[in-house]
PDB file of all heavy atoms in Angstrom:
ATOM      1  N   ILE A   1      15.283  -7.999  11.211  1.00 97.00           N
ATOM      2  CA  ILE A   1      14.772  -8.492   9.933  1.00 97.00           C
ATOM      3  C   ILE A   1      13.554  -9.372  10.199  1.00 97.00           C
ATOM      4  O   ILE A   1      13.345  -9.860  11.305  1.00 97.00           O
ATOM      5  CB  ILE A   1      15.833  -9.268   9.138  1.00 97.00           C
ATOM      6  CG1 ILE A   1      16.307 -10.498   9.916  1.00 97.00           C
ATOM      7  CG2 ILE A   1      17.002  -8.363   8.793  1.00 97.00           C
ATOM      8  CD1 ILE A   1      17.192 -11.427   9.098  1.00 97.00           C
ATOM      9  N   GLY A   2      12.732  -9.564   9.176  1.00 97.00           N
ATOM     10  CA  GLY A   2      11.533 -10.377   9.337  1.00 97.00           C
ATOM     11  C   GLY A   2      10.772 -10.480   8.038  1.00 97.00           C
ATOM     12  O   GLY A   2      11.187  -9.960   6.997  1.00 97.00           O
ATOM     13  N   VAL A   3       9.622 -11.136   8.100  1.00 98.00           N
ATOM     14  CA  VAL A   3       8.892 -11.477   6.887  1.00 98.00           C
ATOM     15  C   VAL A   3       8.258 -10.264   6.202  1.00 98.00           C
ATOM     16  O   VAL A   3       7.880 -10.349   5.032  1.00 98.00           O
ATOM     17  CB  VAL A   3       7.823 -12.545   7.185  1.00 98.00           C
ATOM     18  CG1 VAL A   3       8.464 -13.795   7.761  1.00 98.00           C
ATOM     19  CG2 VAL A   3       6.745 -12.027   8.128  1.00 98.00           C
ATOM     20  N   LEU A   4       8.131  -9.142   6.896  1.00 98.00           N
ATOM     21  CA  LEU A   4       7.590  -7.923   6.279  1.00 98.00           C
ATOM     22  C   LEU A   4       8.663  -6.858   6.073  1.00 98.00           C
ATOM     23  O   LEU A   4       8.362  -5.708   5.775  1.00 98.00           O
ATOM     24  CB  LEU A   4       6.458  -7.351   7.144  1.00 98.00           C
ATOM     25  CG  LEU A   4       5.229  -8.247   7.309  1.00 98.00           C
ATOM     26  CD1 LEU A   4       4.210  -7.581   8.224  1.00 98.00           C
ATOM     27  CD2 LEU A   4       4.604  -8.572   5.954  1.00 98.00           C
ATOM     28  N   GLY A   5       9.921  -7.266   6.216  1.00 98.00           N
ATOM     29  CA  GLY A   5      11.015  -6.308   6.103  1.00 98.00           C
ATOM     30  C   GLY A   5      11.158  -5.695   4.725  1.00 98.00           C
ATOM     31  O   GLY A   5      11.489  -4.509   4.596  1.00 98.00           O
ATOM     32  N   ARG A   6      10.911  -6.469   3.683  1.00 98.00           N
ATOM     33  CA  ARG A   6      11.019  -5.904   2.337  1.00 98.00           C
ATOM     34  C   ARG A   6       9.941  -4.850   2.095  1.00 98.00           C
ATOM     35  O   ARG A   6      10.140  -3.927   1.315  1.00 98.00           O
ATOM     36  CB  ARG A   6      10.902  -7.023   1.291  1.00 98.00           C
ATOM     37  CG  ARG A   6      12.130  -7.920   1.210  1.00 98.00           C
ATOM     38  CD  ARG A   6      11.941  -9.027   0.174  1.00 98.00           C
ATOM     39  NE  ARG A   6      11.389  -8.528  -1.071  1.00 98.00           N
ATOM     40  CZ  ARG A   6      12.082  -7.923  -2.038  1.00 98.00           C
ATOM     41  NH1 ARG A   6      13.396  -7.755  -1.894  1.00 98.00           N
ATOM     42  NH2 ARG A   6      11.491  -7.495  -3.134  1.00 98.00           N
ATOM     43  N   LEU A   7       8.819  -4.979   2.784  1.00 98.00           N
ATOM     44  CA  LEU A   7       7.716  -4.036   2.594  1.00 98.00           C
ATOM     45  C   LEU A   7       7.873  -2.795   3.460  1.00 98.00           C
ATOM     46  O   LEU A   7       7.708  -1.663   2.978  1.00 98.00           O
ATOM     47  CB  LEU A   7       6.391  -4.730   2.916  1.00 98.00           C
ATOM     48  CG  LEU A   7       5.123  -3.889   2.787  1.00 98.00           C
ATOM     49  CD1 LEU A   7       4.956  -3.353   1.374  1.00 98.00           C
ATOM     50  CD2 LEU A   7       3.909  -4.716   3.196  1.00 98.00           C
ATOM     51  N   TYR A   8       8.214  -2.973   4.741  1.00 98.00           N
ATOM     52  CA  TYR A   8       8.236  -1.859   5.690  1.00 98.00           C
ATOM     53  C   TYR A   8       9.634  -1.505   6.197  1.00 98.00           C
ATOM     54  O   TYR A   8       9.782  -0.505   6.901  1.00 98.00           O
ATOM     55  CB  TYR A   8       7.357  -2.189   6.899  1.00 98.00           C
ATOM     56  CG  TYR A   8       5.897  -2.377   6.588  1.00 98.00           C
ATOM     57  CD1 TYR A   8       5.206  -3.498   7.067  1.00 98.00           C
ATOM     58  CD2 TYR A   8       5.203  -1.455   5.820  1.00 98.00           C
ATOM     59  CE1 TYR A   8       3.852  -3.665   6.797  1.00 98.00           C
ATOM     60  CE2 TYR A   8       3.853  -1.627   5.539  1.00 98.00           C
ATOM     61  CZ  TYR A   8       3.183  -2.737   6.024  1.00 98.00           C
ATOM     62  OH  TYR A   8       1.851  -2.899   5.754  1.00 98.00           O
ATOM     63  N   GLY A   9      10.627  -2.298   5.888  1.00 98.00           N
ATOM     64  CA  GLY A   9      11.969  -2.064   6.404  1.00 98.00           C
ATOM     65  C   GLY A   9      12.216  -2.854   7.674  1.00 98.00           C
ATOM     66  O   GLY A   9      11.415  -3.688   8.102  1.00 98.00           O
ATOM     67  N   LEU A  10      13.355  -2.604   8.276  1.00 98.00           N
ATOM     68  CA  LEU A  10      13.713  -3.249   9.529  1.00 98.00           C
ATOM     69  C   LEU A  10      12.776  -2.810  10.651  1.00 98.00           C
ATOM     70  O   LEU A  10      12.147  -1.754  10.571  1.00 98.00           O
ATOM     71  CB  LEU A  10      15.148  -2.877   9.915  1.00 98.00           C
ATOM     72  CG  LEU A  10      16.253  -3.169   8.907  1.00 98.00           C
ATOM     73  CD1 LEU A  10      17.537  -2.482   9.347  1.00 98.00           C
ATOM     74  CD2 LEU A  10      16.465  -4.656   8.750  1.00 98.00           C
ATOM     75  N   THR A  11      12.736  -3.579  11.719  1.00 98.00           N
ATOM     76  CA  THR A  11      11.986  -3.147  12.898  1.00 98.00           C
ATOM     77  C   THR A  11      12.510  -1.797  13.378  1.00 98.00           C
ATOM     78  O   THR A  11      11.739  -0.900  13.732  1.00 98.00           O
ATOM     79  CB  THR A  11      12.105  -4.187  14.024  1.00 98.00           C
ATOM     80  OG1 THR A  11      11.773  -5.479  13.503  1.00 98.00           O
ATOM     81  CG2 THR A  11      11.172  -3.851  15.172  1.00 98.00           C
ATOM     82  N   SER A  12      13.825  -1.625  13.369  1.00 98.00           N
ATOM     83  CA  SER A  12      14.426  -0.366  13.829  1.00 98.00           C
ATOM     84  C   SER A  12      14.120   0.798  12.887  1.00 98.00           C
ATOM     85  O   SER A  12      14.143   1.958  13.321  1.00 98.00           O
ATOM     86  CB  SER A  12      15.939  -0.528  13.977  1.00 98.00           C
ATOM     87  OG  SER A  12      16.534  -0.956  12.764  1.00 98.00           O
ATOM     88  N   ASP A  13      13.812   0.523  11.630  1.00 98.00           N
ATOM     89  CA  ASP A  13      13.443   1.601  10.703  1.00 98.00           C
ATOM     90  C   ASP A  13      12.101   2.210  11.072  1.00 98.00           C
ATOM     91  O   ASP A  13      11.801   3.352  10.698  1.00 98.00           O
ATOM     92  CB  ASP A  13      13.382   1.069   9.271  1.00 98.00           C
ATOM     93  CG  ASP A  13      14.744   0.710   8.715  1.00 98.00           C
ATOM     94  OD1 ASP A  13      15.754   1.218   9.241  1.00 98.00           O
ATOM     95  OD2 ASP A  13      14.796  -0.093   7.767  1.00 98.00           O
ATOM     96  N   GLN A  14      11.269   1.458  11.781  1.00 98.00           N
ATOM     97  CA  GLN A  14       9.947   1.949  12.171  1.00 98.00           C
ATOM     98  C   GLN A  14       9.968   2.642  13.533  1.00 98.00           C
ATOM     99  O   GLN A  14       8.943   3.160  13.985  1.00 98.00           O
ATOM    100  CB  GLN A  14       8.966   0.764  12.216  1.00 98.00           C
ATOM    101  CG  GLN A  14       8.819   0.067  10.859  1.00 98.00           C
ATOM    102  CD  GLN A  14       8.389  -1.377  11.010  1.00 98.00           C
ATOM    103  OE1 GLN A  14       7.193  -1.679  11.006  1.00 98.00           O
ATOM    104  NE2 GLN A  14       9.350  -2.276  11.160  1.00 98.00           N
ATOM    105  N   LEU A  15      11.144   2.655  14.177  1.00 98.00           N
ATOM    106  CA  LEU A  15      11.271   3.264  15.500  1.00 98.00           C
ATOM    107  C   LEU A  15      11.234   4.785  15.398  1.00 98.00           C
ATOM    108  O   LEU A  15      11.971   5.385  14.615  1.00 98.00           O
ATOM    109  CB  LEU A  15      12.581   2.810  16.143  1.00 98.00           C
ATOM    110  CG  LEU A  15      12.791   3.179  17.615  1.00 98.00           C
ATOM    111  CD1 LEU A  15      11.815   2.424  18.498  1.00 98.00           C
ATOM    112  CD2 LEU A  15      14.235   2.878  18.032  1.00 98.00           C
ATOM    113  N   THR A  16      10.387   5.431  16.208  1.00 98.00           N
ATOM    114  CA  THR A  16      10.300   6.894  16.211  1.00 98.00           C
ATOM    115  C   THR A  16      10.826   7.514  17.500  1.00 98.00           C
ATOM    116  O   THR A  16      11.037   8.720  17.556  1.00 98.00           O
ATOM    117  CB  THR A  16       8.847   7.349  16.005  1.00 98.00           C
ATOM    118  OG1 THR A  16       8.045   6.894  17.110  1.00 98.00           O
ATOM    119  CG2 THR A  16       8.279   6.800  14.700  1.00 98.00           C
ATOM    120  N   GLY A  17      11.018   6.695  18.530  1.00 98.00           N
ATOM    121  CA  GLY A  17      11.517   7.224  19.798  1.00 98.00           C
ATOM    122  C   GLY A  17      11.688   6.102  20.800  1.00 98.00           C
ATOM    123  O   GLY A  17      11.204   4.984  20.594  1.00 98.00           O
ATOM    124  N   ALA A  18      12.376   6.406  21.899  1.00 98.00           N
ATOM    125  CA  ALA A  18      12.613   5.390  22.924  1.00 98.00           C
ATOM    126  C   ALA A  18      12.909   6.053  24.259  1.00 98.00           C
ATOM    127  O   ALA A  18      13.389   7.189  24.314  1.00 98.00           O
ATOM    128  CB  ALA A  18      13.782   4.486  22.521  1.00 98.00           C
ATOM    129  N   ASP A  19      12.609   5.326  25.333  1.00 98.00           N
ATOM    130  CA  ASP A  19      12.991   5.729  26.689  1.00 98.00           C
ATOM    131  C   ASP A  19      14.153   4.845  27.118  1.00 98.00           C
ATOM    132  O   ASP A  19      14.063   3.608  27.029  1.00 98.00           O
ATOM    133  CB  ASP A  19      11.828   5.560  27.661  1.00 98.00           C
ATOM    134  CG  ASP A  19      10.647   6.466  27.319  1.00 98.00           C
ATOM    135  OD1 ASP A  19      10.857   7.481  26.618  1.00 98.00           O
ATOM    136  OD2 ASP A  19       9.519   6.143  27.745  1.00 98.00           O
ATOM    137  N   VAL A  20      15.226   5.466  27.584  1.00 98.00           N
ATOM    138  CA  VAL A  20      16.484   4.761  27.816  1.00 98.00           C
ATOM    139  C   VAL A  20      17.026   5.086  29.202  1.00 98.00           C
ATOM    140  O   VAL A  20      16.977   6.241  29.646  1.00 98.00           O
ATOM    141  CB  VAL A  20      17.549   5.161  26.760  1.00 98.00           C
ATOM    142  CG1 VAL A  20      18.774   4.259  26.859  1.00 98.00           C
ATOM    143  CG2 VAL A  20      16.967   5.140  25.359  1.00 98.00           C
ATOM    144  N   VAL A  21      17.564   4.074  29.870  1.00 98.00           N
ATOM    145  CA  VAL A  21      18.332   4.282  31.090  1.00 98.00           C
ATOM    146  C   VAL A  21      19.804   4.164  30.722  1.00 98.00           C
ATOM    147  O   VAL A  21      20.235   3.150  30.166  1.00 98.00           O
ATOM    148  CB  VAL A  21      17.972   3.250  32.177  1.00 98.00           C
ATOM    149  CG1 VAL A  21      18.867   3.433  33.401  1.00 98.00           C
ATOM    150  CG2 VAL A  21      16.507   3.374  32.562  1.00 98.00           C
ATOM    151  N   LEU A  22      20.566   5.210  31.007  1.00 98.00           N
ATOM    152  CA  LEU A  22      21.986   5.230  30.674  1.00 98.00           C
ATOM    153  C   LEU A  22      22.812   4.517  31.740  1.00 98.00           C
ATOM    154  O   LEU A  22      22.318   4.167  32.816  1.00 98.00           O
ATOM    155  CB  LEU A  22      22.467   6.668  30.534  1.00 98.00           C
ATOM    156  CG  LEU A  22      21.767   7.549  29.506  1.00 98.00           C
ATOM    157  CD1 LEU A  22      22.405   8.934  29.492  1.00 98.00           C
ATOM    158  CD2 LEU A  22      21.811   6.920  28.118  1.00 98.00           C
ATOM    159  N   ALA A  23      24.083   4.317  31.446  1.00 97.00           N
ATOM    160  CA  ALA A  23      24.987   3.681  32.394  1.00 97.00           C
ATOM    161  C   ALA A  23      25.150   4.499  33.667  1.00 97.00           C
ATOM    162  O   ALA A  23      25.531   3.962  34.709  1.00 97.00           O
ATOM    163  CB  ALA A  23      26.347   3.460  31.730  1.00 97.00           C
ATOM    164  N   SER A  24      24.858   5.781  33.615  1.00 96.00           N
ATOM    165  CA  SER A  24      24.917   6.646  34.796  1.00 96.00           C
ATOM    166  C   SER A  24      23.690   6.507  35.692  1.00 96.00           C
ATOM    167  O   SER A  24      23.666   7.009  36.813  1.00 96.00           O
ATOM    168  CB  SER A  24      25.029   8.106  34.355  1.00 96.00           C
ATOM    169  OG  SER A  24      23.861   8.486  33.618  1.00 96.00           O
ATOM    170  N   GLY A  25      22.643   5.846  35.182  1.00 97.00           N
ATOM    171  CA  GLY A  25      21.360   5.788  35.867  1.00 97.00           C
ATOM    172  C   GLY A  25      20.402   6.867  35.414  1.00 97.00           C
ATOM    173  O   GLY A  25      19.236   6.873  35.807  1.00 97.00           O
ATOM    174  N   GLU A  26      20.873   7.793  34.583  1.00 98.00           N
ATOM    175  CA  GLU A  26      20.008   8.857  34.061  1.00 98.00           C
ATOM    176  C   GLU A  26      18.996   8.267  33.089  1.00 98.00           C
ATOM    177  O   GLU A  26      19.297   7.340  32.330  1.00 98.00           O
ATOM    178  CB  GLU A  26      20.865   9.903  33.342  1.00 98.00           C
ATOM    179  CG  GLU A  26      20.079  11.078  32.771  1.00 98.00           C
ATOM    180  CD  GLU A  26      20.965  12.051  32.000  1.00 98.00           C
ATOM    181  OE1 GLU A  26      22.185  11.794  31.897  1.00 98.00           O
ATOM    182  OE2 GLU A  26      20.431  13.049  31.502  1.00 98.00           O
ATOM    183  N   ARG A  27      17.791   8.826  33.079  1.00 98.00           N
ATOM    184  CA  ARG A  27      16.730   8.376  32.189  1.00 98.00           C
ATOM    185  C   ARG A  27      16.451   9.442  31.128  1.00 98.00           C
ATOM    186  O   ARG A  27      16.254  10.605  31.453  1.00 98.00           O
ATOM    187  CB  ARG A  27      15.472   8.061  32.994  1.00 98.00           C
ATOM    188  CG  ARG A  27      15.646   6.850  33.896  1.00 98.00           C
ATOM    189  CD  ARG A  27      14.720   6.854  35.095  1.00 98.00           C
ATOM    190  NE  ARG A  27      13.313   6.878  34.715  1.00 98.00           N
ATOM    191  CZ  ARG A  27      12.307   6.932  35.583  1.00 98.00           C
ATOM    192  NH1 ARG A  27      12.571   6.987  36.890  1.00 98.00           N
ATOM    193  NH2 ARG A  27      11.059   6.951  35.164  1.00 98.00           N
ATOM    194  N   LEU A  28      16.435   9.016  29.870  1.00 98.00           N
ATOM    195  CA  LEU A  28      16.231   9.929  28.750  1.00 98.00           C
ATOM    196  C   LEU A  28      15.109   9.438  27.854  1.00 98.00           C
ATOM    197  O   LEU A  28      14.889   8.233  27.717  1.00 98.00           O
ATOM    198  CB  LEU A  28      17.504  10.026  27.892  1.00 98.00           C
ATOM    199  CG  LEU A  28      18.776  10.603  28.503  1.00 98.00           C
ATOM    200  CD1 LEU A  28      19.902  10.568  27.468  1.00 98.00           C
ATOM    201  CD2 LEU A  28      18.545  12.014  28.991  1.00 98.00           C
ATOM    202  N   SER A  29      14.416  10.378  27.210  1.00 98.00           N
ATOM    203  CA  SER A  29      13.523  10.082  26.093  1.00 98.00           C
ATOM    204  C   SER A  29      14.183  10.624  24.840  1.00 98.00           C
ATOM    205  O   SER A  29      14.496  11.827  24.777  1.00 98.00           O
ATOM    206  CB  SER A  29      12.147  10.728  26.300  1.00 98.00           C
ATOM    207  OG  SER A  29      11.435  10.086  27.338  1.00 98.00           O
ATOM    208  N   VAL A  30      14.416   9.764  23.871  1.00 98.00           N
ATOM    209  CA  VAL A  30      15.195  10.158  22.697  1.00 98.00           C
ATOM    210  C   VAL A  30      14.365   9.972  21.435  1.00 98.00           C
ATOM    211  O   VAL A  30      13.483   9.120  21.350  1.00 98.00           O
ATOM    212  CB  VAL A  30      16.497   9.337  22.601  1.00 98.00           C
ATOM    213  CG1 VAL A  30      17.322   9.484  23.867  1.00 98.00           C
ATOM    214  CG2 VAL A  30      16.225   7.861  22.330  1.00 98.00           C
ATOM    215  N   ASP A  31      14.682  10.803  20.442  1.00 98.00           N
ATOM    216  CA  ASP A  31      14.119  10.676  19.107  1.00 98.00           C
ATOM    217  C   ASP A  31      15.018  11.453  18.158  1.00 98.00           C
ATOM    218  O   ASP A  31      16.145  11.822  18.523  1.00 98.00           O
ATOM    219  CB  ASP A  31      12.662  11.157  19.055  1.00 98.00           C
ATOM    220  CG  ASP A  31      12.475  12.596  19.549  1.00 98.00           C
ATOM    221  OD1 ASP A  31      13.405  13.426  19.379  1.00 98.00           O
ATOM    222  OD2 ASP A  31      11.392  12.896  20.105  1.00 98.00           O
ATOM    223  N   GLU A  32      14.556  11.731  16.971  1.00 98.00           N
ATOM    224  CA  GLU A  32      15.400  12.416  15.985  1.00 98.00           C
ATOM    225  C   GLU A  32      15.790  13.824  16.426  1.00 98.00           C
ATOM    226  O   GLU A  32      16.780  14.369  15.937  1.00 98.00           O
ATOM    227  CB  GLU A  32      14.682  12.474  14.639  1.00 98.00           C
ATOM    228  CG  GLU A  32      14.587  11.124  13.941  1.00 98.00           C
ATOM    229  CD  GLU A  32      13.936  11.227  12.572  1.00 98.00           C
ATOM    230  OE1 GLU A  32      13.222  12.240  12.339  1.00 98.00           O
ATOM    231  OE2 GLU A  32      14.130  10.322  11.743  1.00 98.00           O
ATOM    232  N   ASN A  33      15.033  14.412  17.351  1.00 98.00           N
ATOM    233  CA  ASN A  33      15.297  15.781  17.782  1.00 98.00           C
ATOM    234  C   ASN A  33      15.849  15.889  19.198  1.00 98.00           C
ATOM    235  O   ASN A  33      16.149  16.990  19.659  1.00 98.00           O
ATOM    236  CB  ASN A  33      14.007  16.606  17.677  1.00 98.00           C
ATOM    237  CG  ASN A  33      13.464  16.652  16.263  1.00 98.00           C
ATOM    238  OD1 ASN A  33      14.207  16.913  15.313  1.00 98.00           O
ATOM    239  ND2 ASN A  33      12.179  16.366  16.113  1.00 98.00           N
ATOM    240  N   HIS A  34      15.959  14.781  19.890  1.00 98.00           N
ATOM    241  CA  HIS A  34      16.444  14.781  21.264  1.00 98.00           C
ATOM    242  C   HIS A  34      17.464  13.657  21.421  1.00 98.00           C
ATOM    243  O   HIS A  34      17.117  12.486  21.250  1.00 98.00           O
ATOM    244  CB  HIS A  34      15.280  14.593  22.249  1.00 98.00           C
ATOM    245  CG  HIS A  34      14.212  15.627  22.123  1.00 98.00           C
ATOM    246  ND1 HIS A  34      13.147  15.477  21.257  1.00 98.00           N
ATOM    247  CD2 HIS A  34      14.052  16.837  22.736  1.00 98.00           C
ATOM    248  CE1 HIS A  34      12.365  16.536  21.345  1.00 98.00           C
ATOM    249  NE2 HIS A  34      12.884  17.381  22.219  1.00 98.00           N
ATOM    250  N   ASP A  35      18.711  14.040  21.732  1.00 98.00           N
ATOM    251  CA  ASP A  35      19.800  13.058  21.790  1.00 98.00           C
ATOM    252  C   ASP A  35      19.801  12.220  20.517  1.00 98.00           C
ATOM    253  O   ASP A  35      19.757  10.989  20.536  1.00 98.00           O
ATOM    254  CB  ASP A  35      19.683  12.186  23.033  1.00 98.00           C
ATOM    255  CG  ASP A  35      19.960  12.964  24.310  1.00 98.00           C
ATOM    256  OD1 ASP A  35      21.139  13.065  24.687  1.00 98.00           O
ATOM    257  OD2 ASP A  35      18.997  13.506  24.893  1.00 98.00           O
ATOM    258  N   ALA A  36      19.884  12.943  19.406  1.00 98.00           N
ATOM    259  CA  ALA A  36      19.734  12.303  18.098  1.00 98.00           C
ATOM    260  C   ALA A  36      20.810  11.250  17.835  1.00 98.00           C
ATOM    261  O   ALA A  36      20.551  10.239  17.166  1.00 98.00           O
ATOM    262  CB  ALA A  36      19.747  13.357  16.998  1.00 98.00           C
ATOM    263  N   ASP A  37      22.039  11.474  18.331  1.00 98.00           N
ATOM    264  CA  ASP A  37      23.095  10.481  18.123  1.00 98.00           C
ATOM    265  C   ASP A  37      22.774   9.177  18.845  1.00 98.00           C
ATOM    266  O   ASP A  37      23.031   8.086  18.318  1.00 98.00           O
ATOM    267  CB  ASP A  37      24.439  11.013  18.617  1.00 98.00           C
ATOM    268  CG  ASP A  37      25.126  11.897  17.593  1.00 98.00           C
ATOM    269  OD1 ASP A  37      24.685  11.888  16.423  1.00 98.00           O
ATOM    270  OD2 ASP A  37      26.094  12.581  17.954  1.00 98.00           O
ATOM    271  N   LEU A  38      22.235   9.285  20.050  1.00 98.00           N
ATOM    272  CA  LEU A  38      21.851   8.083  20.786  1.00 98.00           C
ATOM    273  C   LEU A  38      20.703   7.373  20.072  1.00 98.00           C
ATOM    274  O   LEU A  38      20.708   6.135  19.946  1.00 98.00           O
ATOM    275  CB  LEU A  38      21.468   8.447  22.220  1.00 98.00           C
ATOM    276  CG  LEU A  38      21.004   7.290  23.122  1.00 98.00           C
ATOM    277  CD1 LEU A  38      22.059   6.191  23.200  1.00 98.00           C
ATOM    278  CD2 LEU A  38      20.669   7.810  24.522  1.00 98.00           C
ATOM    279  N   PHE A  39      19.734   8.130  19.601  1.00 98.00           N
ATOM    280  CA  PHE A  39      18.619   7.544  18.859  1.00 98.00           C
ATOM    281  C   PHE A  39      19.140   6.830  17.617  1.00 98.00           C
ATOM    282  O   PHE A  39      18.715   5.707  17.303  1.00 98.00           O
ATOM    283  CB  PHE A  39      17.618   8.630  18.473  1.00 98.00           C
ATOM    284  CG  PHE A  39      16.438   8.130  17.683  1.00 98.00           C
ATOM    285  CD1 PHE A  39      15.553   7.224  18.226  1.00 98.00           C
ATOM    286  CD2 PHE A  39      16.217   8.589  16.389  1.00 98.00           C
ATOM    287  CE1 PHE A  39      14.461   6.757  17.499  1.00 98.00           C
ATOM    288  CE2 PHE A  39      15.129   8.135  15.659  1.00 98.00           C
ATOM    289  CZ  PHE A  39      14.252   7.221  16.210  1.00 98.00           C
ATOM    290  N   TRP A  40      20.081   7.444  16.917  1.00 98.00           N
ATOM    291  CA  TRP A  40      20.706   6.811  15.744  1.00 98.00           C
ATOM    292  C   TRP A  40      21.340   5.477  16.126  1.00 98.00           C
ATOM    293  O   TRP A  40      21.167   4.471  15.434  1.00 98.00           O
ATOM    294  CB  TRP A  40      21.750   7.768  15.166  1.00 98.00           C
ATOM    295  CG  TRP A  40      22.556   7.216  14.028  1.00 98.00           C
ATOM    296  CD1 TRP A  40      22.248   7.273  12.699  1.00 98.00           C
ATOM    297  CD2 TRP A  40      23.818   6.547  14.119  1.00 98.00           C
ATOM    298  NE1 TRP A  40      23.236   6.673  11.957  1.00 98.00           N
ATOM    299  CE2 TRP A  40      24.215   6.225  12.808  1.00 98.00           C
ATOM    300  CE3 TRP A  40      24.661   6.197  15.179  1.00 98.00           C
ATOM    301  CZ2 TRP A  40      25.407   5.550  12.522  1.00 98.00           C
ATOM    302  CZ3 TRP A  40      25.843   5.522  14.906  1.00 98.00           C
ATOM    303  CH2 TRP A  40      26.214   5.210  13.592  1.00 98.00           C
ATOM    304  N   ALA A  41      22.061   5.451  17.237  1.00 98.00           N
ATOM    305  CA  ALA A  41      22.760   4.237  17.659  1.00 98.00           C
ATOM    306  C   ALA A  41      21.798   3.129  18.061  1.00 98.00           C
ATOM    307  O   ALA A  41      22.099   1.937  17.890  1.00 98.00           O
ATOM    308  CB  ALA A  41      23.704   4.553  18.816  1.00 98.00           C
ATOM    309  N   LEU A  42      20.628   3.491  18.608  1.00 98.00           N
ATOM    310  CA  LEU A  42      19.651   2.485  19.011  1.00 98.00           C
ATOM    311  C   LEU A  42      19.013   1.787  17.819  1.00 98.00           C
ATOM    312  O   LEU A  42      18.417   0.721  17.971  1.00 98.00           O
ATOM    313  CB  LEU A  42      18.546   3.128  19.857  1.00 98.00           C
ATOM    314  CG  LEU A  42      18.957   3.704  21.213  1.00 98.00           C
ATOM    315  CD1 LEU A  42      17.765   4.371  21.885  1.00 98.00           C
ATOM    316  CD2 LEU A  42      19.558   2.633  22.117  1.00 98.00           C
ATOM    317  N   ARG A  43      19.165   2.340  16.651  1.00 98.00           N
ATOM    318  CA  ARG A  43      18.547   1.771  15.446  1.00 98.00           C
ATOM    319  C   ARG A  43      19.580   0.925  14.700  1.00 98.00           C
ATOM    320  O   ARG A  43      20.033   1.271  13.621  1.00 98.00           O
ATOM    321  CB  ARG A  43      17.991   2.876  14.562  1.00 98.00           C
ATOM    322  CG  ARG A  43      16.933   3.712  15.276  1.00 98.00           C
ATOM    323  CD  ARG A  43      16.511   4.918  14.452  1.00 98.00           C
ATOM    324  NE  ARG A  43      15.618   4.543  13.357  1.00 98.00           N
ATOM    325  CZ  ARG A  43      15.249   5.356  12.385  1.00 98.00           C
ATOM    326  NH1 ARG A  43      15.715   6.615  12.359  1.00 98.00           N
ATOM    327  NH2 ARG A  43      14.437   4.957  11.443  1.00 98.00           N
ATOM    328  N   GLY A  44      19.964  -0.196  15.325  1.00 98.00           N
ATOM    329  CA  GLY A  44      20.860  -1.141  14.665  1.00 98.00           C
ATOM    330  C   GLY A  44      22.235  -1.244  15.268  1.00 98.00           C
ATOM    331  O   GLY A  44      23.068  -2.005  14.759  1.00 98.00           O
ATOM    332  N   GLY A  45      22.505  -0.512  16.359  1.00 98.00           N
ATOM    333  CA  GLY A  45      23.825  -0.542  16.974  1.00 98.00           C
ATOM    334  C   GLY A  45      24.051  -1.714  17.906  1.00 98.00           C
ATOM    335  O   GLY A  45      25.120  -1.822  18.518  1.00 98.00           O
ATOM    336  N   GLY A  46      23.069  -2.606  18.025  1.00 97.00           N
ATOM    337  CA  GLY A  46      23.242  -3.803  18.837  1.00 97.00           C
ATOM    338  C   GLY A  46      22.723  -3.640  20.249  1.00 97.00           C
ATOM    339  O   GLY A  46      22.797  -2.564  20.839  1.00 97.00           O
ATOM    340  N   GLY A  47      22.188  -4.702  20.819  1.00 95.00           N
ATOM    341  CA  GLY A  47      21.626  -4.670  22.157  1.00 95.00           C
ATOM    342  C   GLY A  47      22.686  -4.580  23.232  1.00 95.00           C
ATOM    343  O   GLY A  47      23.784  -5.117  23.096  1.00 95.00           O
ATOM    344  N   GLY A  48      22.344  -3.875  24.326  1.00 94.00           N
ATOM    345  CA  GLY A  48      23.209  -3.830  25.494  1.00 94.00           C
ATOM    346  C   GLY A  48      24.437  -2.974  25.364  1.00 94.00           C
ATOM    347  O   GLY A  48      25.358  -3.080  26.184  1.00 94.00           O
TER     348      GLY A  48
END
C-alpha cells in the first residue's frame, strides 16, 4: 500500500513478472503465462 495506491493499485498489482530462486535452488522466471500459480502467490502472499 502507499500514497498512490488508490490511483494505480497495490505495488503487487503493477507486477508483470519476477525472477525467483526456489527452495530447491532452481531459478525461474514467472509471469501470468509461466508458473502462473507462483506468480499469483508472489502478488500479496507475503515475503519469504
